[in-house]
């Protein structure tokens, strides 16, 4: 909340260097993002297009009982042989992007004070875009860092990492 974000479970798909990259992870969603307001039983899909920019699809999701009912109905359709589209073609390994190359903004929280950890943060993570310090913890945002760079910085810095999140 102090950073003006909510934490949401986000499914992400993109084409990275002509290959497929898919991931599901908790992310900080900033207040300006259309997905910020998606709560309760609602779902949202945000699609970035070449011609229209960001397009959002939003509507009531299922919730506990409707989801269970839909799953049960799908199973009955499969058993009866009347399922309309229950096929799966696995992707070929050469079509999958290396997740280590995935870049996004990130939020890290470490134990310590800014006086103790500030130099290490800048040395290993680069100059933070935003910093919130207090209660023996420092949260900072780093722009456009790859998975490989983030993992290397966490291991090399020897900072006491409390958590790390990707941002939208």
């Amino acid at each position: 909340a102090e950073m003006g974000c909510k934490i949401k479970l986000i499914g992400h798909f993109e084409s990275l260097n002509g290959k497929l990259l898919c991931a599901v992870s908790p992310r900080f969603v900033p207040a300006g993002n259309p997905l910020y307001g998606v709560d309760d039983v609602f779902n949202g899909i945000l699609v970035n297009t070449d011609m229209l920019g960001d397009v959002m699809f939003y509507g009531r999701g299922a919730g506990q009982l409707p989801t269970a009912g839909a799953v049960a109905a799908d199973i009955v359709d499969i058993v009866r042989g009347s399922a309309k589209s229950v096929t799966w073609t696995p992707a070929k390994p050469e079509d999958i992007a290396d997740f280590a190359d995935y870049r996004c903004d990130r939020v890290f929280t470490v134990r310590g004070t800014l006086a103790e950890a500030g130099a290490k943060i800048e040395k290993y993570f680069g100059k933070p875009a935003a910093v919130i310090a207090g209660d023996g913890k420092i949260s900072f945002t780093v722009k456009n860092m790859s998975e490989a760079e983030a993992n290397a910085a966490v291991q090399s810095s020897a900072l006491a990492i409390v958590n790390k999140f990707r941002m939208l």
Side-chain angles (χ1 to χ4, degrees), residues 109-144:
T109 302
V110 299
R111 292 193 198 287
T113 65
L114 202 48
E116 298 166 344
K120 278 189 175 183
I121 290 171
E122 196 156 334
K123 177 180 179 181
Y124 292 102
F125 295 88
K127 184 164 178 59
V131 177
I132 296 175
D135 296 330
K137 294 180 188 165
I138 307 158
S139 292
F140 59 96
T141 304
V142 178
K143 297 284 187 185
N144 197 31

Side-chain angles (χ1 to χ4, degrees), residues 5-111:
C5 297
K6 289 182 180 177
I7 298 173
K8 298 197 175 277
L9 186 62
I10 301 291
H12 177 86
F13 167 82
E14 72 178 87
S15 175
L16 184 64
N17 301 323
K19 296 185 176 191
L20 305 175
L21 182 118
C22 303
V24 176
S25 65
R27 298 211 182 189
F28 277 135
V29 178
N33 188 294
L35 294 174
Y36 182 87
V38 178
D39 289 315
D40 299 323
V41 298
F42 290 91
N43 293 319
I45 299 173
L46 185 63
V47 180
N48 181 272
T49 68
D50 291 337
M51 296 197 49
L52 299 174
D54 287 343
V55 178
M56 174 124 166
F57 300 91
Y58 172 83
R60 186 172 298 277
Q64 180 179 341
L65 295 177
T67 298
V71 169
D74 288 346
I75 292 170
V76 168
D77 286 347
I78 292 167
V79 170
R80 287 184 180 161
S82 61
K84 293 183 173 81
S85 61
V86 183
T87 61
W88 179 262
T89 304
K92 298 175 193 142
E94 61 270 17
D95 294 334
I96 305 299
D98 185 348
F99 195 68
D101 296 332
Y102 174 62
R103 304 187 78 78
C104 67
D105 296 350
R106 296 163 191 281
V107 177
F108 297 89
T109 302
V110 299
R111 292 193 198 287

